[in-house]
Amino acid sequence: MTEKTIATKEKKLPKTKEKTLHMIGNAHLDPVWLWQWQEGFQETKATFRSALDRMKEYPEFVFTNSSAANYEWIENNEPEMFEEIKQRIKEGRWEIVGGWWVQPDCNIPSGESFVRQGLYGQRYFEEKFGVTAKVGYNVDSFGHHGMLPQILKKSGMDYYIFMRPSPQEKGLPGRLFWWESDDGSRVLSYRIPFEYCTWGKELKKHIRRNADELKAPFNDLMTFYGVGNHGGGPTKENIESIKQLNEDPSYPKLVFSTPNKFFDELMKKNLPFPVVHDDLQHHASGCYSVHSGIKKWNREAENALIKAEKFSSLANWLTGQKYPASEFGMAWKNVLFNQFHDILAGTSLEAAYDDARDMHGEAMSIAKRGVNYAIQSLSWRINIEEEVGMKPIVIFNPHSWNSKVNIEQEVGGLNSGDILVDEEGNQIAMQTVQSQATAGGRSRVSFIADLPSMGYRVYKIVRRNAVKEFTSLPASETVMENDHFRVEIDSQTGFVTSLFDKQKNLEIISGPAARPVVIQDKSDTWSHNVLRFNEEAGAFKATSVKLVEQGPVKSVIRVVSEYGKSTFVQDFTMYQELDQIDVHCSLNWQEQFKALKLKFPVNLIFRKSTYEIPYGHIVREGNGEEEPGQNWIDTSGTHPSTGESYGLSLLNDGKYSFDIHNKEMSMTVLRSPIYAHHDPIVPEENGSYSFIDQGIQRFTYSLLPHPGNWETAGTVKRATELNQKPITIIESYHKGALPQKDSFLSVDVDNVIVSVIKQAEDNDDLIVRAYETTNEAAVAVISLHKWNRTITTEFKPSEIKTFRIPKDQSKSIVENNLLEWED
């Protein structure tokens, strides 16, 4: 062949080498999935050993990995390997990404849990390796809530990598885009093409299809390779294949790379990245309602720890009570580990939930011990006068606003003439309800407590001669009402047939509500490729509707319903002084391949549907698609009879899956597929399987009808009160320096909430975190009354802010990022 012919052929070659695929060697490690954590532990060691060995064999090979929990395993179990990893990180051959404790589900954890993923993850990486992750990394999580850009950015991560939802599940303007949250924070995000892992052989097909995704001006993409899920990582065949294919002129330039290198190169090119302002859904819609247990434990543990931190830090400053920092750290790590996407989503094998239950139990025990030490340290210092027969009840409010809530307290030795008074001697309505003990000498009382913000108040059960008689709420077997609302329940069906606003003179519902509907559901544990659960199989029908409590504090109508072999008890509870209806539920579920929804049709037009997401909210279409949510959802609009704005908020204490279809709001209570059943496997017709959510579960939801919208109705606060309840302690009389009613902290505007008070990770400073709740800019003053410290600050819409308050009052308060470091 002549030199001229060769030159001609070279000119005709495609300019493929002007494009680059950054080859990202990784090993997706599910510490729990179709195996328990002990197996994931071993596989982590094997995978890390393999990656280290490949580095010795191939000087050009670099490895990318996330999840601080995996490294702590190695540190504690294989310290020599840990030192080897540390050296490779120092050399730049091993890159840390995803500065979180694990790769969690990215819809179910609370906003504060996402903060703690970064707090514990990034600080661990900094302490052990001298680096922090620049790239957020959740390649296998099933969906991603819209507040993540702010949380990532304030946790030191400017970039984000994910894979799900895929293009057929969520249309996006490109593989690369600026992802923006409501406060304006942006992270440059990358959707992985096709897969985050590969087989262990040659990569020709995988690289070819990735190359087809390269479109100018975006001439650089990442291609992920390495055996994954059960670990493994890049193989010799993988690496040799990349080297060989890079010599082929028909392929783009293939470079052994890392996400940091990719984003660094990309940012130099000043490319026109589009902006996405949305959450990233839907993949595996069923995972937000499957396995009620893990979801309830998660909610309870999150709130127990947050509450314990608040009072432990305040007690430490006020009384010197020791702050259990290491114990709280251990508890949080348990909770964060159980937020791994295959655990919290309910998609792991059954035995994994025994492990998760034990870890959550340890976390909640630590929280309860911590909060008990704190409140008893405080309550012991309250000045309580001596009075024969008096029972002082100290009630602590964990919220940064004045809170009016129902209190139920077990007491001993209650006499028929006893009454309840506040710290000033004013008589308070008290109602005796059924005790949790079926034994003599024990009683249970119910009353409404009006509590100061982030503080406490003393109520007392005493004997008085002159007593005030309180009128009971009007109620019958099927109707109950207070000054605000009237609720009517059908005696035959058990459905709510009327929810009437007496002050506005309007009907709120447009059909039978609180209707428990059974849905046919043959989908797998994830509900792959299912967007709606709407094939009705039947409904629970009432076997009993009766009034079980009536008094001056509350009335309760109990509806007992049955479907198949299952029984559902709903206690509809109306209070004299509160404008919400609480419904306490006990469900004995015995169905298989079915789901259960509670439905609430609203009598509104021009509707807007809003869902709480972690540290924020989002408006979604009312199209009946299953959507993740947190403590509340809301439908607000215009009432057709008056033209006025009105709405209904639905609050809950442990559910995460909802749909709103036209006028009907639905909460998905549970699903009952086979444990860890993954399409395309088809269960045998007569096979023996273990089904999820069998047996008894208890939960509470609340109906909060409101004029106007959810922002003015205080929905966020009411839902938080449902989930973070006051703490009560029966005290005795003693002298002390503290008054019988006090507040430690308050905020002067309604739309800013202090969500966290804790001790700093590195000293005894106080960390205060607050966020704006209604997507409206605000100037707020946060006051710590006992220490004469105030924080005056501006909040952008939906902004999260963190402040460090030195114990030394001569030192200034400073704003920190979410890692408790100054930006």
Side-chain angles (χ1 to χ4, degrees), residues 15-33:
K15 295 183 178 180
T16 53
K17 295 302 181 182
E18 294 178 1
K19 299 181 178 182
T20 302
L21 288 180
H22 290 250
M23 303 303 298
I24 310 298
N26 78 106
H28 182 63
L29 279 160
D30 287 330
V32 177
W33 182 26

mmCIF file of all heavy atoms in Angstrom, residues 15-33:
data_model
loop_
_atom_site.group_PDB
_atom_site.id
_atom_site.type_symbol
_atom_site.label_atom_id
_atom_site.label_comp_id
_atom_site.label_asym_id
_atom_site.label_seq_id
_atom_site.Cartn_x
_atom_site.Cartn_y
_atom_site.Cartn_z
ATOM 1 N N LYS A 15 -13.757 11.301 13.204
ATOM 2 C CA LYS A 15 -13.006 12.030 14.227
ATOM 3 C C LYS A 15 -13.402 11.560 15.630
ATOM 4 O O LYS A 15 -13.687 12.358 16.523
ATOM 5 C CB LYS A 15 -13.254 13.523 14.076
ATOM 6 C CG LYS A 15 -12.717 14.098 12.763
ATOM 7 C CD LYS A 15 -12.943 15.598 12.717
ATOM 8 C CE LYS A 15 -12.373 16.197 11.446
ATOM 9 N NZ LYS A 15 -12.575 17.657 11.379
ATOM 10 N N THR A 16 -13.437 10.256 15.797
ATOM 11 C CA THR A 16 -13.903 9.704 17.081
ATOM 12 C C THR A 16 -12.992 10.070 18.229
ATOM 13 O O THR A 16 -13.438 10.216 19.357
ATOM 14 C CB THR A 16 -14.014 8.184 16.983
ATOM 15 O OG1 THR A 16 -12.763 7.669 16.501
ATOM 16 C CG2 THR A 16 -15.116 7.772 16.029
ATOM 17 N N LYS A 17 -11.701 10.213 17.928
ATOM 18 C CA LYS A 17 -10.763 10.457 19.018
ATOM 19 C C LYS A 17 -10.846 11.891 19.561
ATOM 20 O O LYS A 17 -10.177 12.234 20.528
ATOM 21 C CB LYS A 17 -9.335 10.149 18.561
ATOM 22 C CG LYS A 17 -9.099 8.675 18.225
ATOM 23 C CD LYS A 17 -9.411 7.762 19.413
ATOM 24 C CE LYS A 17 -9.158 6.297 19.075
ATOM 25 N NZ LYS A 17 -9.510 5.398 20.202
ATOM 26 N N GLU A 18 -11.680 12.721 18.935
ATOM 27 C CA GLU A 18 -11.932 14.047 19.512
ATOM 28 C C GLU A 18 -12.924 13.962 20.671
ATOM 29 O O GLU A 18 -13.115 14.920 21.415
ATOM 30 C CB GLU A 18 -12.471 15.001 18.448
ATOM 31 C CG GLU A 18 -11.473 15.312 17.346
ATOM 32 C CD GLU A 18 -12.065 16.213 16.296
ATOM 33 O OE1 GLU A 18 -13.258 16.595 16.466
ATOM 34 O OE2 GLU A 18 -11.374 16.529 15.320
ATOM 35 N N LYS A 19 -13.552 12.797 20.769
ATOM 36 C CA LYS A 19 -14.499 12.574 21.849
ATOM 37 C C LYS A 19 -13.871 11.637 22.875
ATOM 38 O O LYS A 19 -13.026 10.809 22.535
ATOM 39 C CB LYS A 19 -15.806 11.995 21.306
ATOM 40 C CG LYS A 19 -16.502 12.930 20.321
ATOM 41 C CD LYS A 19 -17.799 12.349 19.826
ATOM 42 C CE LYS A 19 -18.510 13.317 18.867
ATOM 43 N NZ LYS A 19 -19.808 12.795 18.412
ATOM 44 N N THR A 20 -14.322 11.771 24.122
ATOM 45 C CA THR A 20 -13.683 11.028 25.209
ATOM 46 C C THR A 20 -14.732 10.341 26.081
ATOM 47 O O THR A 20 -15.728 10.965 26.472
ATOM 48 C CB THR A 20 -12.847 11.968 26.092
ATOM 49 O OG1 THR A 20 -11.861 12.616 25.282
ATOM 50 C CG2 THR A 20 -12.152 11.199 27.202
ATOM 51 N N LEU A 21 -14.470 9.096 26.372
ATOM 52 C CA LEU A 21 -15.216 8.383 27.410
ATOM 53 C C LEU A 21 -14.291 8.213 28.606
ATOM 54 O O LEU A 21 -13.224 7.595 28.501
ATOM 55 C CB LEU A 21 -15.685 7.017 26.912
ATOM 56 C CG LEU A 21 -16.819 6.997 25.887
ATOM 57 C CD1 LEU A 21 -17.166 5.560 25.495
ATOM 58 C CD2 LEU A 21 -18.062 7.715 26.406
ATOM 59 N N HIS A 22 -14.700 8.812 29.706
ATOM 60 C CA HIS A 22 -13.961 8.635 30.952
ATOM 61 C C HIS A 22 -14.402 7.302 31.558
ATOM 62 O O HIS A 22 -15.564 7.151 31.959
ATOM 63 C CB HIS A 22 -14.257 9.781 31.915
ATOM 64 C CG HIS A 22 -13.674 11.089 31.490
ATOM 65 N ND1 HIS A 22 -12.625 11.694 32.142
ATOM 66 C CD2 HIS A 22 -13.990 11.923 30.455
ATOM 67 C CE1 HIS A 22 -12.312 12.831 31.550
ATOM 68 N NE2 HIS A 22 -13.137 12.999 30.518
ATOM 69 N N MET A 23 -13.490 6.362 31.627
ATOM 70 C CA MET A 23 -13.814 5.020 32.104
ATOM 71 C C MET A 23 -13.694 5.004 33.633
ATOM 72 O O MET A 23 -12.603 5.183 34.189
ATOM 73 C CB MET A 23 -12.885 4.000 31.473
ATOM 74 C CG MET A 23 -12.912 4.002 29.942
ATOM 75 S SD MET A 23 -14.578 3.723 29.249
ATOM 76 C CE MET A 23 -14.946 2.084 29.860
ATOM 77 N N ILE A 24 -14.836 4.819 34.288
ATOM 78 C CA ILE A 24 -14.916 4.915 35.748
ATOM 79 C C ILE A 24 -14.946 3.500 36.329
ATOM 80 O O ILE A 24 -15.971 2.814 36.304
ATOM 81 C CB ILE A 24 -16.161 5.708 36.195
ATOM 82 C CG1 ILE A 24 -16.249 7.047 35.445
ATOM 83 C CG2 ILE A 24 -16.138 5.902 37.707
ATOM 84 C CD1 ILE A 24 -15.092 7.988 35.683
ATOM 85 N N GLY A 25 -13.806 3.049 36.830
ATOM 86 C CA GLY A 25 -13.743 1.739 37.481
ATOM 87 C C GLY A 25 -14.355 1.806 38.860
ATOM 88 O O GLY A 25 -13.906 2.576 39.704
ATOM 89 N N ASN A 26 -15.404 1.045 39.068
ATOM 90 C CA ASN A 26 -16.121 1.106 40.343
ATOM 91 C C ASN A 26 -16.664 -0.275 40.686
ATOM 92 O O ASN A 26 -16.629 -1.200 39.870
ATOM 93 C CB ASN A 26 -17.258 2.127 40.280
ATOM 94 C CG ASN A 26 -18.487 1.597 39.548
ATOM 95 O OD1 ASN A 26 -19.502 1.280 40.157
ATOM 96 N ND2 ASN A 26 -18.396 1.475 38.221
ATOM 97 N N ALA A 27 -17.185 -0.400 41.879
ATOM 98 C CA ALA A 27 -17.849 -1.638 42.302
ATOM 99 C C ALA A 27 -19.050 -1.240 43.133
ATOM 100 O O ALA A 27 -18.895 -0.795 44.270
ATOM 101 C CB ALA A 27 -16.909 -2.504 43.125
ATOM 102 N N HIS A 28 -20.233 -1.341 42.563
ATOM 103 C CA HIS A 28 -21.408 -1.028 43.368
ATOM 104 C C HIS A 28 -21.576 -2.122 44.417
ATOM 105 O O HIS A 28 -21.713 -3.294 44.093
ATOM 106 C CB HIS A 28 -22.663 -0.926 42.506
ATOM 107 C CG HIS A 28 -23.873 -0.567 43.314
ATOM 108 N ND1 HIS A 28 -23.976 0.628 43.998
ATOM 109 C CD2 HIS A 28 -25.019 -1.242 43.575
ATOM 110 C CE1 HIS A 28 -25.137 0.675 44.628
ATOM 111 N NE2 HIS A 28 -25.782 -0.452 44.393
ATOM 112 N N LEU A 29 -21.556 -1.701 45.679
ATOM 113 C CA LEU A 29 -21.643 -2.639 46.799
ATOM 114 C C LEU A 29 -22.955 -2.418 47.533
ATOM 115 O O LEU A 29 -23.136 -1.395 48.201
ATOM 116 C CB LEU A 29 -20.475 -2.419 47.762
ATOM 117 C CG LEU A 29 -19.139 -3.049 47.376
ATOM 118 C CD1 LEU A 29 -17.995 -2.376 48.119
ATOM 119 C CD2 LEU A 29 -19.149 -4.537 47.680
ATOM 120 N N ASP A 30 -23.867 -3.339 47.392
ATOM 121 C CA ASP A 30 -25.068 -3.331 48.217
ATOM 122 C C ASP A 30 -24.721 -4.055 49.517
ATOM 123 O O ASP A 30 -24.613 -5.290 49.524
ATOM 124 C CB ASP A 30 -26.212 -4.068 47.522
ATOM 125 C CG ASP A 30 -26.797 -3.288 46.368
ATOM 126 O OD1 ASP A 30 -26.769 -2.051 46.425
ATOM 127 O OD2 ASP A 30 -27.287 -3.912 45.411
ATOM 128 N N PRO A 31 -24.538 -3.354 50.624
ATOM 129 C CA PRO A 31 -24.199 -4.049 51.869
ATOM 130 C C PRO A 31 -25.315 -4.983 52.327
ATOM 131 O O PRO A 31 -25.055 -5.955 53.033
ATOM 132 C CB PRO A 31 -23.962 -2.914 52.863
ATOM 133 C CG PRO A 31 -24.697 -1.747 52.302
ATOM 134 C CD PRO A 31 -24.637 -1.900 50.816
ATOM 135 N N VAL A 32 -26.531 -4.672 51.914
ATOM 136 C CA VAL A 32 -27.698 -5.519 52.201
ATOM 137 C C VAL A 32 -28.587 -5.498 50.971
ATOM 138 O O VAL A 32 -28.812 -4.446 50.372
ATOM 139 C CB VAL A 32 -28.489 -4.996 53.425
ATOM 140 C CG1 VAL A 32 -29.743 -5.833 53.664
ATOM 141 C CG2 VAL A 32 -27.618 -4.960 54.674
ATOM 142 N N TRP A 33 -29.068 -6.633 50.576
ATOM 143 C CA TRP A 33 -30.084 -6.723 49.531
ATOM 144 C C TRP A 33 -30.690 -8.129 49.547
ATOM 145 O O TRP A 33 -31.541 -8.421 50.371
ATOM 146 C CB TRP A 33 -29.531 -6.367 48.153
ATOM 147 C CG TRP A 33 -30.590 -6.415 47.062
ATOM 148 C CD1 TRP A 33 -31.934 -6.237 47.225
ATOM 149 C CD2 TRP A 33 -30.388 -6.702 45.682
ATOM 150 N NE1 TRP A 33 -32.580 -6.368 46.017
ATOM 151 C CE2 TRP A 33 -31.664 -6.655 45.056
ATOM 152 C CE3 TRP A 33 -29.267 -6.972 44.915
ATOM 153 C CZ2 TRP A 33 -31.833 -6.893 43.689
ATOM 154 C CZ3 TRP A 33 -29.435 -7.205 43.549
ATOM 155 C CH2 TRP A 33 -30.707 -7.158 42.953
#
